[in-house]
Amino acid sequence: PSVLSILVQRERMDELESNRAMDCIECGACTFVCPAGRRIVHAIRLGKSVVMEKIRARQEKERAEKAAAAKAAGSGAAAAGGQPCAAGKDSGKG
């Protein structure tokens, strides 16, 4: 827990997720036993909010990319398969 709070204090938020900050259940035990009286849980809570914003932004970007890919694939399939080709039409001779 102290590593996580140090990362927050040094504003190294990009390292919080890889150090599993989201696993902290914010029980307060680390703050209670800290001999320096540091507010560890407060720092971790702040860091977790930043990490959650990054996770949400990443998920939204992935969702948008998937939607764009599906739309592009759907419009490509409609253009290729949706219109009959001229060779397949009956010429009226018979």
Side-chain angles (χ1 to χ4, degrees):
S2 62
V3 171
L4 298 175
S5 68
I6 290 169
L7 289 173
V8 172
Q9 289 172 348
R10 293 182 182 171
E11 297 182 7
R12 293 167 56 182
M13 304 299 188
D14 54 328
E15 296 178 42
L16 284 173
E17 190 174 359
S18 63
N19 280 289
R20 305 183 63 87
M22 300 307 291
D23 291 347
C24 174
I25 60 170
E26 302 175 24
C27 67
C30 56
T31 300
F32 183 75
V33 299
C34 180
R38 294 173 55 211
R39 298 177 60 195
I40 298 172
V41 173
H42 176 74
I44 292 173
R45 194 173 292 144
L46 174 65
K48 285 173 69 172
S49 68
V50 172
V51 170
M52 277 307 298
E53 287 178 25
K54 286 185 176 186
I55 290 171
R56 286 187 190 118
R58 186 171 53 230
Q59 289 173 341
E60 184 61 34
K61 182 180 176 184
E62 290 171 0
R63 226 178 276 123
E65 288 172 352
K66 284 181 182 178
K71 185 177 180 181
S75 66
Q83 301 291 328
C85 86
K89 289 184 179 180
D90 187 14
S91 63
K93 297 179 183 175

